Amino acid sequence: MSSIPPTTTSNAVPKQLVHKLSLGGLKSSSIWKKGSKPNIALWLTKDHQIYQEEIPYPECEPDDCIVHVRATGICGSEIHFWKSGRIGDCMVDHDLILGHESAGEILDVGSNVKNFTKGDRVSIEPGVSCWECKQCISGRYNLCPSVKFSGTPPSHGTMARYISHPARFLHKIPTTMSYAQGALIEPLSVGAGAVSRANLSLGQPVLVCGAGPIGLAAAICARASGAHPIVITDLEESRLQQAKDIGFDRTLKVEMDWDKNETAKRIRDLFKSGDEVILVPEVAFECTGAQSSIVSASYAIEAGGTLLQIGCGKPDVEIPLMAMNFREVNIITSFRYKQTWPTVIRLMHDGIFHGADKLITHSFPLEKTLEAFQTCITRESRSVKVQILD
């Protein structure tokens, strides 16, 4: 669906728009507030259509900041919501503003906010947790049952020109870091969270299944933690070339007619280091969510190894549980992240995540967000990370 962002000529916010905003947790007064430019937002409908529509300038609550979103990455989860209408049990049931990989400039601060001022440059942590439940108090706030996660039903996201966001979940970025880099902190945090869950050690052989943005982010974080060697698999040669451009020279293009044993054998062959040393992957980061990839990874890792599941796939997936049981293969899931932003910002700034900028293959202005989404699903575009800049 295509749409030209409207410019309102009335001082009143249409009741239908007020209702749509409220369904996603956004308050709007009856008076249309204006910014210096139209506040264009990217919307998704429950019947798999996307469109752009102008919304009012946001309200600044006492604990919030108004942010001019300068860069937003398109995540695979947004493509899932667009094309499938759901991820697992999370379903799109009302018009929703997408977006959660963002960075921008603070335009205004709430009356209770003391640590930010107008003009500060920030990366936006999209998961707003309650800080009162057992999970939050124990430090696992990524599992907060009351979390409001930007762009995930039912909460509206960051794919708009101006948004309001709690200051507690904003993180300053250095003046030498671009907004595009600031928007990469979110996918890199997914990788950092997974590496933390895996407890990687220096020199540990690692397999990464999937050379999309999250797979490459996981590989970058694993490399920074000292994992070696790292083998990356994918179905697309262009994505594996992207991995090589970032410095990962051990890659495998998986063919669809290989069974689990053939794929596992070819993966293990890439871990061989000379005639004397035979390595086997000890940890596999599965970043595709595809059943065939999960099964092959479980056979490729060594007995007693760890399969760490990151990728989102179908709601129900069959795994060879008994075969994994006989080899004591550990299954660990990783959901988003917690307490990663300061560390990832520092590592990005100091060049530890070298090559991360190369994840960005396409950039579009905010007014061409629909074209940006189409690029994500067009195979010929060979996109990895598509960003929207303003």
Side-chain angles (χ1 to χ4, degrees):
M1 176 186 290
S2 62
S3 174
I4 298 175
T7 299
T8 182
T9 57
S10 169
N11 289 328
V13 181
K15 291 183 179 179
Q16 181 183 8
L17 181 54
V18 172
H19 179 64
K20 286 199 302 182
L21 290 170
S22 67
L23 288 175
L26 292 182
K27 298 178 181 178
S28 177
S29 68
S30 59
I31 304 301
W32 192 293
K33 295 180 64 178
K34 285 281 193 178
S36 60
K37 294 182 179 180
N39 193 12
I40 303 169
L42 188 282
W43 294 79
L44 169 69
T45 70
K46 63 182 180 181
D47 59 346
H48 314 300
Q49 303 296 310
I50 55 174
Y51 65 96
Q52 284 189 286
E53 182 180 44
E54 184 182 348
I55 61 175
Y57 192 82
E59 304 285 336
C60 189
E61 299 294 331
D63 296 319
D64 296 350
C65 292
I66 303 297
V67 180
H68 180 180
V69 180
R70 296 290 195 174
T72 300
I74 298 176
C75 177
S77 65
E78 279 134 13
I79 303 302
H80 272 289
F81 283 134
W82 175 23
K83 293 302 180 180
S84 303
R86 65 183 296 172
I87 296 178
D89 295 330
C90 187
M91 300 181 65
V92 178
D93 59 4
H94 61 80
D95 284 17
L96 184 75
I97 299 173
L98 294 175
H100 64 271
E101 299 181 7
S102 297
E105 175 188 1
I106 291 181
L107 301 183
D108 198 7
V109 298
S111 57
N112 294 338
V113 177
K114 306 302 181 186
N115 56 330
F116 290 105
T117 59
K118 182 179 178 180
D120 282 345
R121 307 165 78 257
V122 293
S123 180
I124 301 170
E125 185 172 356
V128 178
S129 51
C130 73
W131 291 105
E132 296 178 353
C133 68
K134 175 183 176 182
Q135 299 292 356
C136 286
I137 293 172
S138 67
R140 302 183 75 176
Y141 66 86
N142 59 315
L143 302 181
C144 172
S146 302
V147 67
K148 297 177 181 178
F149 195 89
S150 299
T152 296
S155 301
H156 289 314
T158 60
M159 211 165 279
R161 176 167 278 135
Y162 308 115
I163 67 166
S164 180
H165 199 78
R168 188 169 195 169
F169 295 93
L170 296 174
H171 303 268
K172 292 180 184 179
I173 59 175
T175 56
T176 53
M177 181 180 290
S178 69
Y179 289 117
Q181 291 173 323
L184 284 178
I185 302 303
E186 198 278 342
L188 287 168
S189 282
V190 175
V195 165
S196 177
R197 291 278 288 158
N199 292 316
L200 287 186
S201 58
L202 186 68
Q204 199 163 23
V206 165
L207 166 66
V208 177
C209 302
I214 295 303
L216 294 179
I220 288 169
C221 291
R223 179 174 63 188
S225 74
H228 181 79
I230 298 172
V231 170
I232 302 178
T233 68
D234 203 278
L235 298 173
E236 299 285 344
E237 187 61 51
S238 61
R239 291 201 161 189
L240 293 176
Q241 184 57 53
Q242 189 78 10
K244 292 175 182 177
D245 292 342
I246 298 174
F248 299 98
D249 56 358
R250 301 195 193 200
T251 64
L252 176 67
K253 183 180 182 299
V254 177
E255 301 295 340
M256 293 297 292
D257 59 350
W258 293 351
D259 64 13
K260 60 182 183 296
N261 295 310
E262 178 69 14
T263 305
K265 177 184 181 302
R266 289 176 180 262
I267 288 171
R268 288 190 172 198
D269 285 346
L270 285 173
F271 279 91
K272 293 180 179 178
S273 180
D275 296 330
E276 300 295 327
V277 180
I278 305 298
L279 296 174
V280 179
E282 297 176 7
V283 177
F285 292 98
E286 207 298 308
C287 305
T288 73
Q291 179 171 302
S292 59
S293 178
I294 297 170
V295 172
S296 297
S298 70
Y299 277 82
I301 55 181
E302 71 172 1
T306 297
L307 172 65
L308 198 139
Q309 187 61 40
I310 309 172
C312 297
K314 294 180 179 179
D316 298 303
V317 175
E318 294 183 7
I319 60 173
L321 188 59
M322 287 303 99
M324 298 172 76
N325 184 39
F326 293 160
R327 298 170 52 239
E328 288 194 351
V329 172
N330 303 296
I331 306 174
I332 299 178
T333 57
S334 182
F335 185 58
R336 295 173 181 161
Y337 30 67
K338 59 182 187 296
Q339 300 169 344
T340 56
W341 250 256
T343 299
V344 173
I345 289 172
R346 175 164 48 86
L347 294 176
M348 183 75 170
H349 176 258
D350 291 347
I352 305 302
F353 288 157
H354 55 90
D357 288 355
K358 294 182 180 179
L359 293 175
I360 305 169
T361 55
H362 297 74
S363 299
F364 291 84
L366 178 63
E367 291 79 4
K368 294 187 177 181
T369 302
L370 298 176
E371 184 179 339
F373 267 74
Q374 194 61 43
T375 298
C376 288
I377 64 170
T378 303
R379 186 174 182 179
E380 290 74 20
S381 72
R382 297 183 176 181
S383 64
V384 176
K385 177 57 65 182
V386 178
Q387 283 192 345
I388 299 159
L389 307 179
D390 191 49

